[in-house]
Amino acid sequence: MFFESTQRLAESLADMAETLGDRPAAVARELTKLHEEIRRGRLADLADHYRDAGPPRGEAVIVVGPPERIAQDRAEIDGLLRAALAELGVRDAAAKLAAETGLPRGELYRRALAIRDEKG
């Protein structure tokens, strides 16, 4: 969650899309006030909207969603874990993959332990 000046809103959203990836997000304006407005979309789409429409009035809050899961099937996850385990310990491999995929770290840690134990 970020509080941002409406004058910098479009630029900040574009920077977030570039840095964090094009995640789902919401821009909330004038929360708890008469003209409250919430606009949802992907970071890049929100940046385009506010660049075209100009800065809105009032106060703005940006809520950025978690990274989307990129690995869905078990074989793909196991492959990513094996590659990470070649360079890192179990804890660090699970943490790295959790950050990259959005999958629960505990689940990845247990799977990494099982893969490590398979090797002997």
Side-chain angles (χ1 to χ4, degrees):
M1 183 179 306
F2 302 90
F3 298 100
E4 184 57 275
S5 161
T6 55
Q7 300 300 313
R8 294 188 305 255
L9 189 58
E11 183 180 338
S12 293
L13 288 164
D15 288 345
M16 287 177 192
E18 185 178 324
T19 304
L20 302 174
D22 195 20
R23 299 181 185 192
V27 175
R29 188 181 70 79
E30 293 294 298
L31 288 175
T32 73
K33 297 183 179 143
L34 180 63
H35 301 289
E36 179 177 303
E37 175 187 68
I38 299 174
R39 180 174 294 277
R40 293 174 179 87
R42 309 219 44 92
L43 284 169
D45 295 336
L46 290 168
D48 290 342
H49 169 77
Y50 287 106
R51 188 176 302 112
D52 294 343
R57 291 180 157 216
E59 304 163 346
V61 176
I62 304 168
V63 181
V64 180
E68 294 184 35
R69 295 180 180 200
I70 58 169
Q72 295 300 320
D73 72 7
R74 189 176 177 120
E76 185 179 359
I77 294 167
D78 286 355
L80 293 170
L81 277 171
R82 282 188 177 86
L85 286 169
E87 301 173 10
L88 304 167
V90 172
R91 181 177 58 112
D92 292 336
K96 176 183 182 226
L97 204 57
E100 291 174 1
T101 64
L103 294 169
R105 191 179 76 195
E107 180 183 312
L108 292 168
Y109 181 81
R110 286 187 291 281
R111 190 66 201 131
L113 283 174
I115 289 170
R116 183 194 67 185
D117 292 344
E118 286 174 4
K119 290 182 180 180

